[in-house]
Amino acid sequence: MLLRARKRVAAVVAMGIDRALEVASMFDDAAQALDVDMAGLLAELQPMSTPLDQYAALIAKIRAAQQAVRYAAPTEVWTGLLLVDTSPLKTSLGARADHMVEALLNQLLSKSVEAYQHICARCEAISNEVMAVAQDTPGVLGIKEKLGSGEAEVEQLKGMANAAKDRDMFRLAYRHAESLDQSFAQLAFDAQNWPRDMLLVFSTAWEKVEAEYTHFQGALKRKRETLRKELKEVAVLVEAYKDVVDASELVGELAKELEPYASLWQVVSEYALRSEDWLYGNMQGLNPEEVEELTGEWYKRMQRLAKSMQLAEHRRLAEESRVKLEGFKALLPIISAVCNPGMRGRHWDALSKV
C-alpha cells in the first residue's frame, strides 16, 4: 500500500511539473520576441537616415508580443498540484517591452535634439559670416561666396528641420513623455524658426554687400585717379631733371640716379592699384593685350632693378614685385578668356557657379 501511495504521489508531482512547464511554454513566443540585444539594435538604427517606418514596425512587433504575454495564460493556473501565479512573469515581460519602446523613442528624441542644435548653431554662424563688414573688394567677394554657399546650406537645414519635426510627431503619437519637456520645446521652436529668419538675413546681407562693393569700387577709382596725377608729377620732375642735363653735369647725374627710384615707385604703386582693378573690377572694356603688355614691361623693369639698385632693401622690394608680377602673369590666360568678345550670359552664369 505504501509503495502504491508513493507511486501515486510521484505521478501527481510529475504531472504538476509537466503542467507548470506547459504553462511556462505559453510565454515562449512572446519571450523570444522580446529577447533582443537593444544596444546592437540601437546602433543599427543610429543613422539619421533611418526611416520612421522601421521604428514603427519594431514598436508594433514589441507591442504585439506584450499583448500576447497578457493573454497567454490566466493569472492563476491550477496544475493539479500547485496553483501557479503567472503575474510576476507577465509583469516582467511587460516591463521589458515598455523599456524597449522607451529606448527607441529616446533615440528619436536624441536625433531631434542633435538636429535642432546643429540647425541653430549653423544658422547663427552663417548669419554672422554674411553680415560681417567687408574691409576691401576681396572681402566683399568672399562674403558673396559665403552668401551663395549659405543659402544652399540653409535649404539642407530646412530638410533636416522637417525630418526632426516628423520624428517629434511620431513620438507624440506614442505619448512619449519627453515630447512635453519645456527646454526641448524651446529648442525645437528656435530651430524651426531659424531657416525662415535666414530669408531676411540673406536679403539684408545681399543689399549690404552690393553697397559695399559699390563703395570700394568708387574708392578704387579715386585711388587710381590720384595715382595718375602723382605719376604725372613724377614724370614731369624726371623730365625736368633731364632737360637741364646740359646746364650741369652734376644735375645730369642726379637725374640719372633718380630715375631707377622713380621707376621702382611707379611700377610698385601702379601695379598695386591696377591689379586690384583687373582682378576685382568690372571686366567689361578690359583689354587683355594691354594688361599683358604692361605686366611684361613691368616684369622686365623689376628684374633689372632687382639686380641694379644700390640699397639692399630696394633690391628686395624690386625682387618681391618681380615675384608678384610673375604670379600675376599666370592669370593672363584666364583674363584673356574672360574678356573674349564671344562670352555670353550663359557663360557668365556657368562661371558664377564654379
Side-chain angles (χ1 to χ4, degrees):
M1 180 180 291
L2 180 60
L3 181 60
R4 192 181 309 117
R6 288 179 62 184
K7 288 181 178 180
R8 186 174 181 181
V9 169
V12 171
V13 169
M15 183 181 66
I17 293 174
D18 289 342
R19 290 296 306 276
L21 293 174
E22 190 177 319
V23 171
S25 67
M26 296 178 182
F27 296 91
D28 283 350
D29 291 343
Q32 288 179 7
L34 298 176
D35 185 18
V36 177
D37 175 16
M38 282 305 296
L41 178 61
L42 292 174
E44 182 183 336
L45 299 172
Q46 185 60 41
M48 286 284 190
S49 57
T50 302
L52 290 175
D53 288 347
Q54 192 168 345
Y55 283 91
L58 286 168
I59 292 175
K61 182 179 179 181
I62 294 169
R63 290 305 188 200
Q66 188 179 38
Q67 191 76 355
V69 166
R70 188 174 300 161
Y71 298 107
T75 302
E76 293 181 343
V77 179
W78 174 251
T79 65
L81 178 64
L82 301 171
L83 184 64
V84 178
D85 183 4
T86 62
S87 59
L89 181 58
K90 288 184 176 183
T91 300
S92 176
L93 292 175
R96 169 66 176 168
D98 289 338
H99 171 75
M100 292 171 68
V101 171
E102 186 72 9
L104 292 171
L105 296 177
N106 281 339
Q107 185 181 62
L108 289 175
L109 171 64
S110 297
K111 287 184 179 182
S112 290
V113 169
E114 181 182 346
Y116 288 148
Q117 288 176 340
H118 178 74
I119 291 169
C120 291
R122 285 305 302 147
C123 284
E124 185 174 359
I126 293 171
S127 178
N128 291 335
E129 289 173 356
V130 301
M131 291 304 295
V133 177
Q135 302 300 319
D136 49 27
T137 302
V140 171
L141 297 178
I143 293 177
K144 281 188 173 183
E145 183 177 350
K146 289 177 180 177
L147 275 166
S149 62
E151 287 176 331
E153 184 176 351
V154 167
E155 284 301 313
Q156 294 177 346
L157 294 177
K158 285 182 182 178
M160 185 179 293
N162 290 334
K165 184 178 180 180
D166 290 341
R167 283 192 290 269
D168 295 340
M169 297 303 295
F170 182 91
R171 292 187 303 106
L172 189 61
Y174 285 96
R175 294 178 174 81
H176 191 221
E178 295 296 335
S179 299
L180 304 177
D181 181 79
Q182 186 61 38
S183 61
F184 172 79
Q186 185 61 52
L187 175 63
F189 178 81
D190 292 341
Q192 293 291 344
N193 280 329
W194 254 119
R196 290 193 290 268
D197 293 342
M198 289 301 292
L199 295 176
L200 178 60
V201 171
F202 286 136
S203 176
T204 304
W206 275 115
E207 292 178 2
K208 175 187 72 70
V209 82
E210 291 300 334
E212 289 172 339
Y213 184 77
T214 301
H215 167 74
F216 288 123
Q217 286 297 300
L220 179 61
K221 183 177 180 180
R222 290 190 295 272
K223 282 183 181 179
R224 195 163 54 245
E225 293 300 324
T226 301
L227 177 61
R228 286 197 181 99
K229 291 180 181 179
E230 292 177 350
L231 289 175
K232 286 181 180 179
E233 293 173 0
V234 171
V236 169
L237 288 175
V238 173
E239 290 301 322
Y241 279 115
K242 290 180 179 179
D243 290 341
V244 298
V245 169
D246 295 336
S248 170
E249 183 178 347
L250 180 62
V251 173
E253 293 177 356
L254 181 61
K256 186 177 181 180
E257 292 178 3
L258 177 63
E259 196 279 333
Y261 297 100
S263 179
L264 176 62
W265 184 86
Q266 179 188 16
V267 172
V268 171
S269 301
E270 191 163 352
Y271 171 72
L273 284 178
R274 288 211 179 193
S275 62
E276 185 172 356
D277 190 24
W278 292 336
L279 291 175
Y280 307 115
N282 191 342
M283 304 298 288
Q284 293 182 348
L286 186 62
N287 187 339
E289 294 180 358
E290 180 185 353
V291 174
E292 184 174 2
E293 182 180 351
L294 275 175
T295 52
E297 178 189 346
W298 292 343
Y299 181 83
K300 292 178 181 178
R301 287 163 67 178
M302 291 300 98
Q303 194 174 34
R304 184 176 64 254
L305 292 174
K307 299 177 181 178
S308 62
M309 296 294 286
Q310 294 182 358
L311 297 179
E313 55 265 34
H314 295 158
R315 292 195 299 273
R316 184 168 58 253
L317 176 59
E319 175 61 19
E320 291 174 355
S321 300
R322 184 196 68 79
V323 172
K324 290 181 180 179
L325 284 163
E326 187 174 23
F328 184 82
K329 286 171 68 177
L331 303 176
L332 290 176
I334 299 176
I335 295 176
S336 180
V338 170
C339 294
N340 190 316
M343 288 286 286
R344 296 292 183 268
R346 65 179 184 276
H347 300 138
W348 289 108
D349 291 340
L351 278 175
S352 66
K353 297 176 181 177
V354 176

